[in-house]
Amino acid sequence: MINVGLIGLGYWGSNYLKALIYNNIANLKSICDEDLSRLSNLNINCHKTNNPYEIAKDDSIDGVIIATPASTHYKLAKMMLEHKKHVLVEKPLTMNYKQAVELCNISKEEDRLLMVGHIYCYNPAVNYIKKLLEDKELGDLYYGIGQRLGLGPIREDADCIWDLAIHDVAMLDYLINDMPIKIDISATSFIREGIYDHATIVFKYKNGFQFTLIVSWYAAEKIRTWYIMGSRSMLKFDDMKKDTPLTIFDKNIKKDNKNNIVPREGDIIYPYVKYEEPLIIQLKHFINCISSHTKPLTDGE
C-alpha cells in the first residue's frame, strides 16, 4: 500500500479523508490541519499534527494530498516536493504562473509527481463528452455556453475566476485539446472590494469555436451547466443531475429544396453514463501514478 499524508480538513479535505477511509485506496499515515479542534474530533488511527513539516520529514510517506486554501498551495507543495514527496494539490495549483512553473521544475528535479485536482477531467460524463467530440458526433463545433453559479462560498484569498472558472478552463483544455487564440473577460466585485465575485469570459479558438463562460458567487440558484452546439447536433451537460447528466439534441439548421434555412428537429437522447465519484477516480489515479511512476492526466504542466 502507498502511504499518504493529508493536509487540510476543510470541505475538500474532508471529502478526501472519507474517500481514503472507505475505499481502501491507500494507507493514510498522517493528517494535518491548523485547527486542532478538527483533529481532536477525528477517531482515526494515524498521526495527527498541525505542523505540515512533520509530514514532509516523514520518510515513510510516499505522497501528500494538499487541500488547503489556494494561497497556501505554493508553499506547501514546494515543501513536500523538496522532501521527495509525490504531491496531489487541489486547484488552483498556485496563484500565479511563475510559481506554477517553479513547482513543475522542482518536481522534475526531484523526480516526483505533481498532480492537480482538476476533478472534472475524471468525471465519467465529461469523458463521455470527450469521446463524442473525438468521434465528431456533434459535427463541427460552433459555440458553447457554460454557467457556474451559486450563492457562495465567498473566498477571501481567491476570486471567482481562480475558484470557479478554473474548473471550466481545465475542462476546455481537456475536451478541446487546444489553446484559445484570444480571451475576452469582464469581471466585477459586488461583495468584497478587490475580489471578483462575478465574471464573464469568452474563449475563442483558431477553428472558429467560441465558448462563453459565466461564473458567480452571487446567484439565486446553484447551476453547473454546459451547452455545446455543433453542426450536426447539440449537447447539454448538467452536473447537478447525477443520474442523467447528459442530453443530446438531434437538431440543427439545414437548407430545404428552395435553399431556405430552416430548423431541423430530431430525437432527444439521454445517454446512459455509469456514475462513479470523480474524486475517488482522481484519487485512485494519483495512487496508481505513484505505483507505476507514470505521468498524471492533470499534471502540473
Side-chain angles (χ1 to χ4, degrees):
M1 284 284 265
I2 298 294
N3 292 324
V4 299
L6 173 63
I7 304 177
L9 284 176
Y11 177 77
W12 279 110
S14 297
N15 288 335
Y16 275 111
L17 180 62
K18 293 173 186 175
L20 287 165
I21 292 173
Y22 295 117
N23 293 277
N24 198 33
I25 299 170
N27 179 41
L28 182 58
K29 193 80 185 296
S30 186
I31 303 174
C32 176
D33 193 279
E34 65 179 6
D35 187 345
L36 291 174
S37 64
R38 287 177 174 172
L39 296 170
S40 62
N41 292 331
L42 289 178
N43 186 23
I44 301 172
N45 184 25
C46 70
H47 178 64
K48 304 178 186 71
T49 178
N50 66 343
N51 183 0
Y53 183 69
E54 291 187 20
I55 291 181
K57 69 180 182 180
D58 186 344
D59 292 336
S60 69
I61 293 177
D62 306 296
V64 178
I65 302 158
I66 299 172
T68 56
S71 58
T72 67
H73 289 179
Y74 165 71
K75 182 178 179 181
L76 288 171
K78 183 178 181 180
M79 178 194 298
M80 297 304 149
L81 288 170
E82 288 179 340
H83 283 80
K84 298 190 178 302
K85 302 288 188 278
H86 301 287
V87 173
L88 166 56
V89 57
E90 264 304 308
K91 59 82 190 168
L93 173 57
T94 63
M95 295 300 293
N96 69 62
Y97 174 72
K98 288 184 178 179
Q99 289 179 344
V101 171
E102 182 184 350
L103 291 183
C104 289
N105 290 336
I106 294 173
S107 73
K108 291 175 183 175
E109 291 166 4
E110 300 294 343
D111 193 26
R112 290 297 180 267
L113 305 180
L114 174 60
M115 178 172 160
V116 188
H118 289 303
I119 195 167
Y120 278 91
C121 298
Y122 303 92
N123 186 306
V126 173
N127 279 283
Y128 192 102
I129 297 172
K130 187 172 180 65
K131 184 68 165 57
L132 287 176
L133 299 185
E134 288 174 347
D135 294 342
K136 298 287 187 179
E137 292 292 333
L138 303 185
D140 296 328
L141 299 186
Y142 287 166
Y143 74 96
I145 300 170
Q147 293 179 304
R148 189 170 297 275
L149 313 173
L151 190 60
I154 311 299
R155 308 294 184 189
E156 295 183 2
D157 64 338
D159 61 31
C160 67
I161 300 166
W162 285 98
D163 182 50
L164 295 179
I166 195 165
H167 282 303
D168 303 277
V169 172
M171 288 170 66
L172 281 169
D173 180 58
Y174 182 51
L175 294 174
I176 306 302
N177 197 29
D178 196 10
M179 289 289 286
I181 58 173
K182 186 180 182 183
I183 300 174
D184 296 321
I185 181 166
S186 173
T188 311
S189 301
F190 294 108
I191 301 167
R192 183 178 280 123
E193 185 178 353
I195 298 180
Y196 299 126
D197 46 62
H198 176 88
T200 300
I201 313 170
V202 181
F203 304 86
K204 299 178 181 180
Y205 294 82
K206 62 185 177 184
N207 63 358
F209 179 66
Q210 179 172 302
F211 191 90
T212 301
L213 174 65
I214 302 173
V215 294
S216 180
W217 284 329
Y218 193 76
E221 295 180 283
K222 184 175 182 179
I223 300 173
R224 301 288 186 269
T225 305
W226 268 37
Y227 295 89
I228 301 177
M229 318 304 180
S231 61
R232 184 183 303 166
S233 56
M234 307 178 190
L235 170 80
K236 178 183 179 181
F237 168 48
D238 188 343
D239 193 41
M240 301 303 293
K241 296 181 178 179
K242 301 302 182 186
D243 293 331
T244 55
L246 297 179
T247 308
I248 299 173
F249 301 88
D250 183 20
K251 57 172 66 177
N252 55 31
I253 297 293
K254 66 175 185 177
K255 292 183 179 181
D256 63 14
N257 295 333
K258 296 181 180 180
N259 211 33
N260 296 316
I261 297 177
V262 295
R264 182 192 68 82
E265 297 288 348
D267 294 333
I268 298 176
I269 303 165
Y270 301 93
Y272 171 69
V273 179
K274 184 179 179 181
Y275 182 76
E276 185 177 354
E277 182 60 48
L279 185 70
I280 294 174
I281 298 174
Q282 177 179 272
L283 189 51
K284 287 180 178 177
H285 183 67
F286 176 56
I287 300 303
N288 287 337
C289 287
I290 293 176
S291 299
S292 59
H293 206 71
T294 54
K295 178 181 176 180
L297 173 64
T298 53
D299 66 345
E301 296 284 342

